[in-house]
Amino acid sequence: MSDLPARLSVVTLGARDLPRLRRFYNDLGWREMPAGGDDWAGFLLGGVLLALYSVDELAAEAATAAPPPAQWSGITLACNVDSARHVDAAFAAAVAAGATAVADPVDRPWGGRSAYIADPEGNRWEIAWAPGARFDDRGALTGFGG
């Protein structure tokens, strides 16, 4: 047994314009934590906290310098939905809220359907339906595949 538990609790996005990024996630209809503000914001997503924090403050804690703007980190976040048709609806809703369309919804060779968007600061989100993905009542992923 490890002293480091196998769990993901918080994903923090370093924001260059935190008020703008906060508005985007609110415009998606995601419920913000009560303690949120323009210096920190959090959204509880099915058991994982999506946190928004100043990129400069985050760099002071976790790196030697903030990354340069407009570079994709190679990391994607994903929101899995309940059916293939929900991919298209969620993609349209994200674009309507201000996301940039990166890749339109398509059926994937692995048997699912997905699309990609970027939030106002370029963070990439995959909107996906995967056969065999299972969720609890909170929307937390409880199983994946077979």
Side-chain angles (χ1 to χ4, degrees):
M1 180 159 132
S2 171
D3 288 332
L4 180 61
R7 74 173 65 115
L8 179 63
S9 309
V10 179
V11 172
T12 302
L13 300 178
R16 295 182 191 294
D17 184 347
L18 202 145
R20 179 178 180 219
L21 201 55
R22 179 178 174 223
R23 269 190 315 278
F24 169 74
Y25 287 106
N26 275 292
D27 287 349
L28 285 177
W30 294 4
R31 190 168 23 165
E32 186 176 343
M33 303 288 294
D38 283 344
D39 58 345
W40 177 91
F43 301 84
L44 190 57
L45 309 177
V48 175
L49 180 69
L50 175 66
L52 309 178
Y53 194 54
S54 158
V55 70
D56 293 327
E57 296 292 327
L58 189 58
E61 293 179 15
T64 57
Q71 287 190 348
W72 180 48
S73 65
I75 295 171
T76 62
L77 305 167
C79 177
N80 279 71
V81 295
D82 294 325
S83 71
R85 67 180 170 82
H86 284 129
V87 171
D88 298 63
F91 177 80
V95 170
T100 300
V102 173
D104 290 337
V106 297
D107 293 331
R108 300 289 179 185
W110 45 265
R113 183 169 180 78
S114 74
Y116 286 88
I117 56 108
D119 72 15
E121 294 206 355
N123 298 297
R124 299 303 202 274
W125 282 86
E126 179 185 24
I127 301 168
W129 169 75
R134 296 176 301 283
F135 307 93
D136 67 14
D137 292 339
R138 297 178 308 154
L141 188 66
T142 59
F144 199 79

